[in-house]
Amino acid sequence: MGAKTKNLRNILYLIGAGPGDPDLLTIKAYKMLRKAEVLLFDHLVNHEMLSIVPDSCLKVYVGKEPYADFTPQEDIHTLIAHYCREYGAVVRLKGGDPYIFGRGFEELLFAERLGIEVRYVPGISSMQGTGFHHIPLTHRGVSDGIWALTGTKKDGRLSSDLQLAIQSNSTVVIYMGMKKLDEIARTYVMCGKGDTSAAIIQHATLSTQREVVCKVGDLLNAARGSGLSHPAIIVIGEVVRLYAAHRYNFVDSFQCNMY
């Protein structure tokens, strides 16, 4: 997939690493990694995946650890340009899916402005990890769809779309929202929906995965009581209580439980 030569066509492979478990890589992603000569990888990429690439592969960490050290997006762009120019092809491995809160499209736009061809390989998004906890994102008669929202916009604010999502009959999934639990809870309470079922899922699909289930109005206390922090996703909606209701016949009340 590219030797160190300037005669090859420059290609950027935007690959989704999935929610964490290496076995959830697509076959195509695995094949690309097996041939990689340059790998730019994110903070949320499971390091077990680094063993898939050849020993000769140049591995460059370009992660953005929440509320800690991070590689500026502009620096990542510079590295993409440099390594595509020097090697001909670069594998960009991003946690989840590159085009779902992964800033992958920003990298595509940058690369194409330089004449670099971009090839996309999708990954399983972290919100799909709810299935490993038997929480469906949709269910007939319970949830009509999914709102996937960011908990932290570029200016640091919570997405205003949450107000709209609350009024819908759909599941709400919030990425990067662990610093906004109190605000999320207050928004639901103010809309008269504080009793809506919710879950926080940390390290979905990994052996370290943990979950807490509670009423949305209790999100902050539930997270503190269970010691959960980022990286995690927040799932809000009646789909959260379906499996518990199925197993334990919890229909009218739903208490905060650790799974």
Side-chain angles (χ1 to χ4, degrees):
M1 190 169 55
K4 190 174 181 180
T5 172
K6 297 182 181 180
N7 296 321
L8 289 179
R9 179 172 56 181
N10 292 342
I11 302 175
L12 173 66
Y13 294 89
L14 277 177
I15 297 178
D21 184 347
D23 288 342
L24 296 176
L25 276 172
T26 65
I27 294 175
K28 188 168 187 177
Y30 179 82
K31 289 179 178 179
M32 294 294 99
L33 290 173
R34 289 285 294 170
K35 298 186 290 183
E37 295 206 359
V38 180
L39 177 71
L40 306 182
F41 65 97
D42 278 352
H43 171 67
L44 291 178
V45 169
N46 189 328
H47 281 218
E48 289 183 31
M49 296 181 189
L50 302 185
S51 64
I52 299 173
V53 303
D55 291 341
S56 59
C57 176
L58 176 62
K59 298 183 283 289
V60 182
Y61 174 74
V62 290
K64 297 184 178 73
E65 185 174 356
Y67 317 110
D69 293 337
F70 68 96
T71 305
Q73 190 64 41
E74 294 74 16
D75 290 358
I76 296 174
H77 290 171
T78 299
L79 291 170
I80 288 172
H82 170 73
Y83 288 117
C84 279
R85 184 169 58 249
E86 292 298 313
Y87 285 79
V90 170
V91 171
R92 178 72 172 97
L93 189 62
K94 304 172 79 69
D97 182 273
Y99 289 165
I100 301 179
F101 300 117
R103 302 187 72 169
F105 193 66
E106 294 179 37
E107 294 173 14
L108 174 140
L109 294 176
F110 171 80
E112 288 197 337
R113 281 198 296 269
L114 297 182
I116 298 170
E117 179 183 348
V118 178
R119 298 181 185 176
Y120 161 72
V121 181
I124 294 174
S125 179
S126 58
M127 70 178 176
Q128 293 171 272
T130 63
F132 289 84
H133 301 265
H134 302 298
I135 298 175
L137 292 175
T138 63
H139 184 66
R140 184 172 56 179
V142 177
S143 172
D144 294 341
I146 307 164
W147 287 74
L149 306 175
T150 177
T152 308
K153 295 174 62 176
K154 185 176 181 179
D155 60 8
R157 292 184 296 117
L158 179 68
S159 173
S160 59
D161 279 4
L162 183 60
Q163 295 278 357
L164 299 173
I166 291 174
Q167 304 306 320
S168 73
N169 191 38
S170 296
T171 305
V172 177
V173 180
I174 302 176
Y175 290 70
M176 300 168 289
M178 291 302 287
K179 289 286 188 179
K180 300 291 179 61
L181 291 177
D182 188 44
E183 185 177 351
I184 293 166
R186 282 189 285 107
T187 302
Y188 270 84
V189 170
M190 290 174 62
C191 291
K193 300 288 186 73
D195 289 339
T196 304
S197 299
I200 301 171
I201 301 174
Q202 183 180 47
H203 299 306
T205 78
L206 297 176
S207 60
T208 55
Q209 66 184 14
R210 299 175 66 205
E211 171 189 339
V212 64
V213 173
C214 61
K215 295 178 180 179
V216 69
D218 297 327
L219 274 174
L220 183 59
N221 289 335
R224 286 176 174 172
S226 59
L228 294 185
S229 62
H230 56 79
I233 60 168
I234 303 151
V235 186
I236 306 168
E238 292 312 305
V239 292
V240 173
R241 61 187 284 159
L242 286 178
Y243 188 61
H246 166 70
R247 289 187 62 186
Y248 306 115
N249 295 319
F250 287 171
V251 177
D252 297 321
S253 62
F254 203 75
Q255 301 299 319
C256 187
N257 291 291
M258 277 295 298
Y259 281 20

